[in-house]
Amino acid sequence: MNKLFLLLLLMCSSLTVKASDYVYYGFQPDIITNYVAVKKKMGYVRLTVELMIEGGNNLEVVEHHSPLLRDAIINIIGQQPEEKIKSINGRHEIQRECQERIQELLKQETGETLVKKLMFTQWLDN
């Protein structure tokens, strides 16, 4: 019984160490941008974006490139149709597209992707 407990404790401690290898960066202020809406001609989206960054020492690098990353997110959202903006599946696709673009840009700028995950933690649209 003690060996099993020690094994579980060892496994949990290795997971904790791995989790501490990530830091989070949130864009401030929230991102607010327009999209083309069919009925209203223009709509807007306000979203909170968090980046999961590999390695705490990469936080400053991501902060340095945040204007470029913010611009990429705004451009992607601004090109989306209303039906995609308003659907949950569409939002997931947009999130995935933004994540891939952020990773591409960071790879071009730094040689590494640095961002493990991009998350929309708040999404308000009209």
Side-chain angles (χ1 to χ4, degrees), residues 39-89:
K39 296 176 187 173
K40 299 177 189 175
K41 297 187 182 178
M42 275 299 216
Y44 75 90
V45 175
R46 178 181 180 160
L47 57 140
T48 304
V49 179
E50 301 280 334
L51 301 177
M52 180 187 215
I53 302 167
E54 296 183 82
N57 55 341
N58 291 324
L59 180 61
E60 287 183 25
V61 176
V62 172
E63 284 177 334
H64 175 75
H65 293 290
S66 65
L68 175 67
L69 305 179
R70 176 186 282 274
D71 181 63
I73 293 168
I74 289 170
N75 284 330
I76 289 169
I77 292 170
Q79 297 171 4
Q80 303 303 316
E82 182 177 20
E83 56 273 0
K84 199 169 183 181
I85 294 282
K86 300 229 178 238
S87 78
I88 292 176
N89 289 335

Side-chain angles (χ1 to χ4, degrees), residues 103-114:
Q103 290 172 332
E104 283 174 20
L105 288 170
L106 286 170
K107 182 80 169 173
Q108 290 172 4
E109 295 293 319
T110 68
E112 298 179 50
T113 57
L114 303 179

